[in-house]
């Protein structure tokens, strides 16, 4: 597999694929990695907001953290069986 690695603006690595398309499992794993990085950044922002007593920032951060958790649950769930549709 030929791939060129690079850094995204947010610091996460990504690959430009030249010879193949990632499998659904690989895409899911990459998405979960990105969610973990996002969650870490949100937790850091929440800690900073709590430290300075900025309730206006804390609320939206908590909402975003719940959305990250819900999305992680959806990505981690087994795929739907197409035979049941």
């Amino acid at each position: 597999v030929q791939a060129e690695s690079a850094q995204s603006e947010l610091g996460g690595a990504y690959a430009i694929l030249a010879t193949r398309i990632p499998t659904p499992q690989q895409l899911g794993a990459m998405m979960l990695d990105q969610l973990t990085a996002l969650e870490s950044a949100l937790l850091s922002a929440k800690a900073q907001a709590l430290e300075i007593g900025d309730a206006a920032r804390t609320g939206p951060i908590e909402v975003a953290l719940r959305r990250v958790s819900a999305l992680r649950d959806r990505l981690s769930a087994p795929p739907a069986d197409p035979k049941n549709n």
Side-chain angles (χ1 to χ4, degrees):
V1 174
Q2 181 183 4
E4 181 180 325
S5 293
Q7 287 291 101
S8 73
E9 291 179 9
L10 297 177
Y14 65 93
I16 301 169
L17 302 174
T19 60
R20 67 176 179 84
I21 297 172
T23 66
Q25 293 81 9
Q26 290 168 325
L27 285 173
M30 287 186 281
M31 288 178 169
L32 288 171
D33 287 344
Q34 289 297 314
L35 280 176
T36 299
L38 175 59
E39 183 178 45
S40 177
L42 287 169
L43 288 170
S44 177
K46 180 181 174 183
Q48 290 174 357
L50 288 171
E51 186 176 313
I52 62 173
D54 189 348
R57 279 182 48 208
T58 305
I61 292 169
E62 288 175 350
V63 170
L65 284 165
R66 284 193 296 274
R67 292 179 70 191
V68 165
S69 178
L71 185 53
R72 177 179 287 113
D73 291 346
R74 287 178 52 199
L75 287 171
S76 298
D81 185 0
K83 296 175 187 174
N84 291 337
N85 291 334

